[in-house]
Amino acid sequence: MMETKQKKYTSLGQVMIRECKRLVSRPLYLFCMVIAPMFCYIFFTTLMGSGLPTDLPIGAVDLDNSSTSRSILRNLDAFEQTNIVARYESFDDARIAMQRGDIYGFFFIPEDLASKAISGRQPRISFYTNNSYLIAGSLLFKDMKMMSELAGGALSRATLYAKGATEEQAIAILQPIVIDTHPLNNPWLNYSVYLCNTLVPGILMILIFMTTVYSIGVEIKDRTAREWLRLGNNSIYISLAGKLIPQTIVFFVMSIFYNTYLYGYLHFPCNSGILPMIFASLLLVLASQACGVVMIGTFPTLRLGLSFASLWGVISFSISGFSFPVMAMHPVLQGLSNLFPLRHYFLIYVDQALNGYSMVYSWTNYMALLLFIILPFAVMQRLKRALIYYKYMP
Amino acid sequence: MKEATFKDKISEGIHDLFYIWKREFQTTFRDQGVLIFFILVPLMYPLIYGFIYTNEVVREVPVIVVDDTHSSLSREFIRKVDATADVEIKTYCSNMEEAKQLMKERKAYGLIYVPSNFSKDIALGRQTKVSIYCDMSGLLYYKGILLSATAVSLDMNKNIKISRAGNTTNRQDEITAHPIEYDNVALFNPQNGFAAFLIPAVLILLIQQTLLLGIGLSAGTAREHNRFKDLVPINRHYNGTLRIVMGKGLSYFMVYSIISVYVLCVVPRIFSLNQIGHPDALILFMLPYLAACIFFAMTASIAIRNRETCMLIFVFTSVPLLFISGISWPRAAIPPFWKYVSYIFPSTFGINGFVRINNMGASLNEISTEYKALWIQAGVYFLTTCWVYRWQILRSRKHVLDRYREMKAKQQLSSREITD
């Protein structure tokens, strides 16, 4: 009894040593496990380093050229997110500049703005945003709408002052109700916080999918699967554990690295403390590896297994709902989204790091990730058969 | 032996070019793996993406209300917010703690708080505040709640202003409300939709990525089948660089001209996305884009040693490439270093050019920068492809020669042994 147990441990150790040798023997593994994730961590955080885009280029068409119109444009230019880079003679010129990609929007002031406004003939200004670039368009929309409101307000205020109103009275008449906005836990509207917290683990997840599928599938392809099984005491569990544990360690280290990088170095909001996030990352790593095993277990052809991994991995980014909310998707997709580990990780992140809620509130998502981890047991025997009998076909 | 004339060489070259073209075509359609990338993925992925984003916008974001006033004015405010398309009032809570609890349970993504002095302030002619609190897990929730609340507040402000002004005519009321009127026009994506903004970029990127994968896969296969793990087979037709590169390129180009029609014309139609581009501008634009992508992929395929490794290397790059193109994260905010990096990839110019032609109705005139850049890329990558293939031809010749010498030495050795 003792002996068989001992034998199991030694064979587990031998498979692990064999796997470590395999991992260092090919630069491909180094690339997928270390270089590619590291590159993406740095890429996404530096790409969106500014957090919220500022000084987005817009144009102005000022057909009035009065002191009123100039002051409107000057004020608009002073907004943090807008930067008037050019003035155009006509609407068409501005439109063409937009099609050329020089500007993301423009502000149009018609002739006789000042004279019409003073004489109470209600002039009409307009602004155009290019919403083919949704983020830029939305940000500019906010500023230009505000400016348009203020333009009318400035005129009324002048009238009110003339009638003898104090500043406080004037403001109360012009804007009786104001909206006081509180974007919870991301008051800077930082896009890097909003996106990187899911993009970065997502990239790691897709690479775990790929590496797991590849490292198992390539044994079938190179006809080393039997040797691998034999070393693992002919037990699929020992062989698989021996293969995956070294990878788990590397990926877990990579996930600790991004956690410390995001929350420790870049100081992204982490209201739960870093430990729950590291725990969630560990679950994500294990769940992704389990998914990888299921993928190659269901499609023991390397090519199909990897195609499955690519499909699941790439779709994860859209369906996890961190950019386009799941609640706005088709009900079928809302159900399907539960089959993606990244979706659960995202919800855990929102509850823990972003909002600082207790872990109890996201227990369903922790459970879901745990369920992913036991999923491979369903395909174990199929995988073992594939390892023994399957022949690689290109 | 007679020197082959220049004319003979040309005709032989063209002959070989079409031979290689035919061969590549055959391998493409016989290889299941390549077919997955060249046919199945371009066919299926756009449909999946279109399906995910087809609702375009977020409607009826669930919101909780804490109303400490309970006046007719506060009820009017809440009713109007509820009536907007973006927000749905899920429930009323009596205090903030209760509301917070509901937000923790993911019952709502926002909270509107009307303070107790709301109506009193308005009645006394003082400014008053309505607070909104938004869950920042999705910026679209924030945007929906903020826009709805702002729209309602502006509308109510207008009425309050009018009632205070003591005007006598309707026209005076109008002028009091808006001394200067304004319009806003969301150009090129009037409904502010997510699909209309993201899908065109995904479609263009898909063409580049599937080419990278497909060509990488077939390069890997060629190496695995080759005796010396070389890319170029030993065959009298595979003699010149130009004919190999052109022959292969032509066959990929033909497959992808059909795929492009489906991806760029049929798919947007299925999901009724913007399609206001001129067909001739689009065709002229796709020419250098496909060429640049094909030669880029052929150059990159040199790094692929095995059949399946291309997937490990290329698949994850789709996400960074989408971001670096400047479609979701504005180009103006991309740091210069990454901007220069983005010039390496045809997708950067492809996405920007296509979005402008297709969504914004630009002509080639407006996108001349992207158009020229793509031709330059096509040229540069054509040269690099020729260069790497030349290198590969020389290598495979060398391998054959080495092998031949080895054999000959062995033969000599054995024949000597016999004579001895």
Side-chain angles (χ1 to χ4, degrees), chain B residues 183-251:
Chain B
D183 282 328
N184 64 278
V185 184
L187 279 176
F188 311 130
N189 181 2
Q191 66 222 334
N192 262 320
F194 218 81
F197 129 82
L198 199 62
I199 297 285
V202 170
L203 295 178
I204 285 286
L205 186 61
L206 184 94
I207 291 178
Q208 177 190 294
Q209 296 301 91
T210 51
L211 268 168
L212 269 174
L213 287 165
I215 294 176
L217 190 83
S218 62
T221 317
R223 274 178 194 273
E224 281 183 7
H225 287 181
N226 192 287
R227 251 170 85 190
F228 308 105
K229 304 261 173 264
D230 283 330
L231 189 56
V232 181
I234 306 302
N235 181 313
R236 70 184 169 84
H237 293 290
Y238 285 77
N239 251 334
T241 318
L242 212 57
R243 57 195 83 162
I244 299 179
V245 173
M246 294 295 273
K248 284 191 170 186
L250 187 65
S251 92

Side-chain angles (χ1 to χ4, degrees), chain A residues 98 103-105 127-142 144, chain B residues 56-57 143 147 184-198 200 274 327 355 359-360:
Chain A
M98 209 165 184
I103 51 173
Y104 291 108
F127 58 90
Y128 299 80
T129 46
N130 183 355
N131 285 22
S132 271
Y133 298 89
L134 197 65
I135 291 181
S138 308
L139 292 173
L140 289 174
F141 170 81
K142 210 171 69 182
M144 294 209 268
Chain B
E56 295 269 17
V57 288
K143 194 176 146 194
L147 284 183
N184 64 278
V185 184
L187 279 176
F188 311 130
N189 181 2
Q191 66 222 334
N192 262 320
F194 218 81
F197 129 82
L198 199 62
N274 272 6
I327 202 81
V355 165
N359 295 27
M360 300 158 61

Side-chain angles (χ1 to χ4, degrees), chain A residues 46 99 122-125 127 129 131 135 149 176-178 180 182 184 221 311 318 328 351 361 365 392, chain B residues 45 49 55 101 106 128 130 132 134 157 171 181-183 185 187 189 192 224 308 328 338 356 360:
Chain A
T46 50
Q99 285 172 327
Q122 253 192 335
R124 185 180 282 270
I125 50 181
F127 58 90
T129 46
N131 285 22
I135 291 181
E149 276 292 327
I177 306 170
V178 286
D180 182 25
H182 302 266
L184 295 173
K221 181 180 173 183
L311 174 81
S318 308
D351 280 357
Y361 291 102
N365 304 112
Y392 173 80
Chain B
Y45 269 55
Y49 273 98
N55 284 350
Q101 188 61 32
R106 298 180 192 153
T128 189
V130 171
I132 58 174
C134 304
N157 284 351
R171 179 66 187 151
E181 279 191 304
Y182 65 88
D183 282 328
V185 184
L187 279 176
N189 181 2
N192 262 320
E224 281 183 7
E308 287 84 4
S328 56
W338 291 121
R356 280 188 217 144
M360 300 158 61

Side-chain angles (χ1 to χ4, degrees), chain B residues 37 155 161 174 197 233 253 258 271 276 326 337 376 410 415:
Chain B
F37 293 130
D155 182 50
K161 242 191 282 182
E174 279 168 32
F197 129 82
F253 189 84
I258 299 166
F271 294 103
I276 57 169
F337 174 76
I376 293 170
K410 247 187 212 165
S415 61

Side-chain angles (χ1 to χ4, degrees), chain A residues 26 28 31-32 36 39-40 43-44 46-48 50-51 53 56-57 96 98-101 104 120-135 138 141 145 148-149 151-152 155-156 171-184 186 189 191 194-195 199 203 206-207 210 214 221 302-304 306-307 310-311 314-315 317-318 322-325 327-330 333 346-347 350-351 354-355 357 361-362 365 392 394, chain B residues 32-33 36 45 48-49 51-53 55-62 77 101 103-104 106 109 118 122 125-143 146-147 149 153-154 156-157 160-161 164 171 174-175 178-189 192-194 197 224 306-309 311-313 315-316 319-320 323-324 326-335 338 352 355-356 359-362 366:
Chain A
R26 292 197 61 182
L28 184 68
F31 178 81
C32 290
F39 170 79
C40 288
F43 170 77
F44 285 116
T46 50
L47 184 78
M48 293 182 265
S50 55
L56 293 169
I96 289 169
M98 209 165 184
Q99 285 172 327
R100 264 205 312 269
Y104 291 108
R121 279 179 289 153
Q122 253 192 335
R124 185 180 282 270
I125 50 181
S126 38
F127 58 90
Y128 299 80
T129 46
N130 183 355
N131 285 22
S132 271
Y133 298 89
L134 197 65
I135 291 181
S138 308
F141 170 81
K145 184 176 167 95
S148 308
E149 276 292 327
L155 210 69
S156 312
I171 286 173
I173 290 172
L174 290 174
Q175 262 200 311
I177 306 170
V178 286
I179 301 291
D180 182 25
T181 326
H182 302 266
L184 295 173
N186 185 359
L189 303 182
Y191 272 78
Y194 160 58
L195 293 171
L199 278 175
I203 291 283
I206 196 170
L207 287 163
M210 296 295 220
Y214 182 79
K221 181 180 173 183
L302 190 49
R303 160 172 34 87
L304 288 179
L306 283 173
S307 302
S310 320
L311 174 81
V314 175
I315 297 290
F317 287 95
S318 308
F322 67 95
S323 56
F324 187 70
M327 65 165 270
M329 289 177 199
H330 192 273
L333 292 171
F346 165 67
L347 290 174
V350 169
D351 280 357
L354 185 68
N355 289 331
Y357 300 157
Y361 291 102
S362 8
N365 304 112
Y392 173 80
Chain B
Q32 247 194 57
I36 289 182
Y45 269 55
I48 297 173
Y49 273 98
F51 187 41
I52 290 178
Y53 295 122
N55 284 350
E56 295 269 17
V57 288
V58 187
R59 295 286 192 221
E60 305 290 348
V61 176
F77 183 87
Q101 188 61 32
M103 280 181 78
K104 283 184 183 175
R106 298 180 192 153
Y109 296 107
F118 179 74
I122 293 176
R126 284 199 299 244
Q127 195 175 44
T128 189
K129 254 183 203 169
V130 171
S131 300
I132 58 174
Y133 299 83
C134 304
D135 183 292
M136 292 306 287
S137 62
L139 276 180
L140 290 182
Y141 303 138
Y142 166 76
K143 194 176 146 194
L146 179 64
L147 284 183
S153 78
L154 290 177
M156 284 183 68
N157 284 351
I160 295 169
K161 242 191 282 182
R164 278 189 195 152
R171 179 66 187 151
E174 279 168 32
I175 293 164
H178 289 294
I180 299 176
E181 279 191 304
Y182 65 88
D183 282 328
N184 64 278
V185 184
L187 279 176
F188 311 130
N189 181 2
N192 262 320
F194 218 81
F197 129 82
E224 281 183 7
N306 292 91
R307 209 172 131 71
E308 287 84 4
T309 43
M311 298 171 80
L312 281 89
I313 294 173
V315 168
F316 82 95
V319 188
F323 271 85
I324 211 173
I327 202 81
S328 56
W329 185 249
R331 191 142 198 83
I334 293 180
W338 291 121
N352 280 296
V355 165
R356 280 188 217 144
N359 295 27
M360 300 158 61
E366 277 90 58

Side-chain angles (χ1 to χ4, degrees), chain B residues 270-290:
Chain B
I270 296 175
F271 294 103
S272 24
L273 301 174
N274 272 6
Q275 253 183 326
I276 57 169
H278 299 285
D280 27 345
L282 200 56
I283 292 168
L284 279 176
F285 180 74
M286 285 315 287
L287 209 68
Y289 180 64
L290 282 183

Side-chain angles (χ1 to χ4, degrees), chain A residues 43-89:
Chain A
F43 170 77
F44 285 116
T45 46
T46 50
L47 184 78
M48 293 182 265
S50 55
L52 187 65
T54 50
D55 283 334
L56 293 169
I58 64 164
V61 182
D62 185 359
L63 299 180
D64 189 38
N65 251 324
S66 61
S67 64
T68 318
S69 74
R70 280 197 302 273
S71 112
I72 291 175
L73 293 179
R74 210 164 42 238
N75 284 327
L76 181 63
D77 200 15
F79 276 69
E80 200 190 352
Q81 269 148 12
T82 48
N83 180 19
I84 300 181
V85 291
R87 285 162 199 268
Y88 301 98
E89 291 298 313

Side-chain angles (χ1 to χ4, degrees), chain A residues 135-316:
Chain A
I135 291 181
S138 308
L139 292 173
L140 289 174
F141 170 81
K142 210 171 69 182
D143 280 2
M144 294 209 268
K145 184 176 167 95
M146 173 84 117
M147 194 57 235
S148 308
E149 276 292 327
L150 290 178
L155 210 69
S156 312
R157 195 172 53 204
T159 324
L160 285 170
Y161 285 163
K163 285 180 180 169
T166 64
E167 195 179 335
E168 202 181 339
Q169 283 170 328
I171 286 173
I173 290 172
L174 290 174
Q175 262 200 311
I177 306 170
V178 286
I179 301 291
D180 182 25
T181 326
H182 302 266
L184 295 173
N185 301 312
N186 185 359
W188 328 272
L189 303 182
N190 188 327
Y191 272 78
S192 191
V193 168
Y194 160 58
L195 293 171
C196 289
N197 271 305
T198 321
L199 278 175
V200 161
I203 291 283
L204 189 65
M205 176 208 67
I206 196 170
L207 287 163
I208 297 176
F209 280 179
M210 296 295 220
T211 313
T212 312
V213 170
Y214 182 79
S215 65
I216 297 171
V218 80
E219 302 262 12
I220 301 175
K221 181 180 173 183
D222 294 346
R223 304 208 185 99
T224 50
R226 286 185 183 196
E227 173 211 319
W228 168 40
L229 264 179
R230 215 175 305 127
L231 201 62
N233 203 13
N234 276 326
S235 152
I236 181 76
Y237 297 100
I238 292 177
S239 310
L240 211 54
K243 183 175 254 321
L244 294 182
I245 287 170
Q247 297 181 13
T248 312
I249 293 168
V250 176
F251 284 127
F252 184 47
V253 169
M254 292 305 293
S255 72
I256 291 176
F257 180 77
Y258 83 69
N259 275 298
T260 40
Y261 177 58
L262 292 183
Y263 304 121
Y265 180 72
L266 293 174
H267 295 287
F268 281 9
C270 186
N271 295 311
S272 61
I274 202 166
L275 284 179
M277 287 318 289
I278 288 181
F279 178 62
S281 312
L282 176 64
L283 286 183
L284 180 73
V285 169
L286 292 173
S288 311
Q289 284 189 307
C291 283
V293 174
V294 173
M295 285 162 187
I296 190 75
T298 8
F299 298 107
T301 323
L302 190 49
R303 160 172 34 87
L304 288 179
L306 283 173
S307 302
F308 190 15
S310 320
L311 174 81
W312 223 244
V314 175
I315 297 290
S316 289

